[in-house]
Amino acid sequence: MNNICILLIIIFFLASFFVEFYFKKRRNNALNKLLKLLYEKKFKEFDSYVAQLQNKKIVPLYNLEFLKFNSYVLRQNHFKEKVCFDKIASMHLTDRQRFDFFIRAFSVYIENKNKVLAKKSLKQIDSIKNKAETKKNLHMIYDVVILNDTSYLPMLLARVPKENKQAKLSDYYLIRHIYKLKKDIKNENKYFNLLSETAKNLKKKA
């Protein structure tokens, strides 16, 4: 009797493992296909495949909405982009999911100078535990780009020589923006050139 029970447990475990493996493989294949369609900007095919996946429930809703959000950003469809933003904001998210999505949303709305949605993204990030340094930097970006606060310039100029290229890219952007606000054309052009050169170097290494 004990042998039969053990055998049944083993069979159940193996069956569960193969089912999980099968669905994980299908999910990864589906996500890779969606990413490829996004990269190639084949939006009609992307929308059609998303609709199929929503019906089959292969890919979690969060992942689909995140990818849809990115597609609407690329298409500059601000209405549908906002629908995805609100939908994800209403979901029960893990800290990792919340951080990943709202960092992306924050970067979009900073670039678009959207004060309301940049602030909402920042509030979502603030609700996550830890990441104090990241939050501090994001608040600085919001203050400089959205509120046009120029008081960060001495600190930025002092730290930028010590940073790696990825960090320099962000700070060059902020420094350039501050000089633009100050109507200092010479330094604005200087940091625009540094920003462009750093971006090109990072693109080569990617």
Side-chain angles (χ1 to χ4, degrees):
M1 185 69 180
N2 287 339
N3 289 340
I4 293 172
C5 286
I6 291 168
L7 183 61
L8 288 172
I9 289 168
I10 292 169
I11 290 169
F12 177 77
F13 172 78
L14 289 173
S16 298
F17 172 79
F18 284 118
V19 167
E20 185 181 345
F21 177 79
Y22 171 73
F23 279 108
K24 188 175 181 180
K25 188 175 180 181
R26 286 188 71 191
R27 183 172 66 245
N28 289 341
N29 288 342
L31 285 169
N32 287 336
K33 182 175 178 179
L34 285 171
L35 288 168
K36 187 172 184 290
L37 292 171
L38 262 188
Y39 179 76
E40 294 171 353
K41 296 185 179 179
K42 295 179 178 177
F43 297 124
K44 284 187 178 179
E45 290 178 49
F46 175 87
D47 291 340
S48 175
Y49 193 49
V50 164
Q52 290 177 41
L53 292 172
Q54 282 175 325
N55 291 332
K56 293 178 182 177
K57 296 182 179 178
I58 296 168
V59 177
L61 183 61
Y62 164 81
N63 299 83
L64 284 180
E65 291 299 325
F66 198 156
L67 287 168
K68 282 164 65 180
F69 176 84
N70 283 314
S71 82
Y72 295 134
V73 169
L74 289 171
R75 288 182 258 190
Q76 297 187 336
N77 187 329
H78 301 306
F79 175 77
K80 288 189 175 181
E81 171 195 301
K82 175 67 164 52
V83 169
C84 287
F85 179 93
D86 289 338
K87 196 166 186 178
I88 291 177
S90 70
M91 289 180 184
H92 182 69
L93 304 173
T94 65
D95 278 354
R96 175 62 187 272
Q97 288 173 329
R98 191 177 305 279
F99 182 78
D100 288 349
F101 175 74
F102 287 104
I103 278 281
R104 169 64 177 144
F106 181 77
S107 69
V108 168
Y109 297 126
I110 283 291
E111 187 176 346
N112 295 341
K113 309 288 193 299
N114 188 322
K115 183 177 181 179
V116 173
L117 293 177
K119 187 67 175 176
K120 283 186 177 181
S121 300
L122 200 52
K123 279 188 175 182
Q124 289 279 355
I125 295 164
D126 281 339
S127 72
I128 298 166
K129 294 177 183 178
N130 304 318
K131 299 192 181 291
E133 195 61 32
T134 299
K135 291 174 187 176
K136 183 180 174 183
N137 278 319
L138 293 176
H139 276 274
M140 178 183 64
I141 291 168
Y142 180 86
D143 290 347
V144 172
V145 178
I146 302 297
L147 302 182
N148 293 330
D149 185 343
T150 62
S151 66
Y152 291 93
L153 183 60
M155 183 270 287
L156 287 165
L157 290 172
R159 82 177 187 182
V160 77
K162 307 166 193 172
E163 294 176 319
N164 61 39
K165 286 183 179 178
Q166 190 68 52
K168 275 184 167 72
L169 193 67
S170 174
D171 282 357
Y172 285 155
Y173 176 83
L174 296 177
I175 293 167
R176 182 212 170 196
H177 182 77
I178 291 172
Y179 279 126
K180 187 176 182 180
L181 291 170
K182 288 176 170 285
K183 302 190 188 310
D184 184 336
I185 296 171
K186 182 182 176 181
N187 277 314
E188 182 194 340
N189 288 337
K190 174 186 173 181
Y191 282 93
F192 173 76
N193 291 333
L194 285 168
L195 178 66
S196 301
E197 186 182 335
T198 305
K200 282 179 186 175
N201 289 336
L202 285 171
K203 195 173 181 181
K204 285 177 185 176
K205 289 183 179 180

